[in-house]
Amino acid sequence: MPGSRLDDIDRMILAELQADGRMTNVELAKRVGISAPPCLRRVRTLEEQGFIKGYHADVDARELGFEVQVFAMVGLVSQAEADLSAFETKCQQWPLVRECHMLNGEVDFILKCVAPDLRTFQRFLTEDLTSAKNVASVKTSLVIRCAKDDPGVPFDVLEARLAQDA
């Protein structure tokens, strides 16, 4: 299991940073029970190994004027690897697409999109998404509200699984 490659302190560091990525190294070290220099070395190692992908602020899209959030389920004509990769590359170029996930099942991709208003999203939908090469179908669902939006992973579940496997 991938999480088992990390020791208890590494997992505590990840859990603490996931909850609050702005805390100082001194505060982080205190919370996980080690001194600051080895804590900083561990954080840098976790970054280098790809366990920490980055740091960002969790901004409120609606407060910034992005009133519309939509999930778009996209079906492609071809699922050849080159066509899947080409669609993923296209999604990376569209600013309104904030997340792009390839799925198995009835749809090939689900996109999380934000827009300041319905007119802007509709223009994106008709001029960019549905007219993109290899797109066969698009079904959209407008988000009414979000009841949960937790980042990262549930560390308590990981710890319980590790304890069970020990």
Side-chain angles (χ1 to χ4, degrees), residues 60-110:
D60 188 323
R62 288 207 162 120
E63 286 294 321
L64 292 168
F66 290 86
E67 294 292 327
V68 175
Q69 183 176 358
V70 177
F71 286 97
M73 286 69 64
V74 180
L76 301 181
V77 174
S78 166
Q79 290 78 25
E81 184 56 39
D83 295 322
L84 295 169
S85 294
F87 182 76
E88 290 170 334
T89 299
K90 194 71 174 159
C91 286
Q92 291 169 358
Q93 297 167 359
W94 288 323
L96 297 185
V97 175
R98 306 313 298 164
E99 295 180 28
C100 171
H101 302 272
M102 183 169 58
L103 308 174
N104 75 338
E106 293 183 35
V107 297
D108 296 308
F109 287 91
I110 188 165

Side-chain angles (χ1 to χ4, degrees), residues 1-162:
M1 186 165 82
S4 63
R5 294 187 304 174
L6 303 173
D7 66 16
D8 292 346
I9 293 174
D10 287 334
R11 290 192 307 275
M12 284 192 293
I13 287 171
L14 291 173
E16 291 293 338
L17 287 175
Q18 180 176 272
D20 179 5
R22 289 192 60 168
M23 78 176 72
T24 66
N25 182 60
V26 172
E27 176 64 23
L28 177 61
K30 185 172 129 185
R31 288 187 189 187
V32 300
I34 61 176
S35 63
C39 184
L40 185 58
R41 282 193 297 275
R42 283 175 176 259
V43 169
R44 287 187 176 145
T45 300
L46 291 167
E47 291 169 347
E48 290 166 4
Q49 292 177 342
F51 288 99
I52 298 173
K53 294 173 24 176
Y55 301 89
H56 70 277
D58 186 8
V59 299
D60 188 323
R62 288 207 162 120
E63 286 294 321
L64 292 168
F66 290 86
E67 294 292 327
V68 175
Q69 183 176 358
V70 177
F71 286 97
M73 286 69 64
V74 180
L76 301 181
V77 174
S78 166
Q79 290 78 25
E81 184 56 39
D83 295 322
L84 295 169
S85 294
F87 182 76
E88 290 170 334
T89 299
K90 194 71 174 159
C91 286
Q92 291 169 358
Q93 297 167 359
W94 288 323
L96 297 185
V97 175
R98 306 313 298 164
E99 295 180 28
C100 171
H101 302 272
M102 183 169 58
L103 308 174
N104 75 338
E106 293 183 35
V107 297
D108 296 308
F109 287 91
I110 188 165
L111 310 179
K112 178 181 171 184
C113 306
V114 297
D117 52 50
L118 278 172
R119 177 175 286 147
T120 302
F121 179 75
Q122 182 180 1
R123 188 171 33 251
F124 163 72
L125 180 65
T126 57
E127 295 176 10
D128 297 321
L129 184 55
T130 58
S131 64
K133 183 179 178 185
N134 197 33
V135 171
S137 65
V138 177
K139 295 178 183 173
T140 60
S141 292
L142 182 67
V143 174
I144 303 301
R145 69 175 172 231
C146 177
K148 184 175 183 180
D149 185 15
D150 285 345
V153 299
F155 276 93
D156 55 338
V157 173
L158 175 62
E159 293 302 328
R161 186 170 177 200
L162 290 171

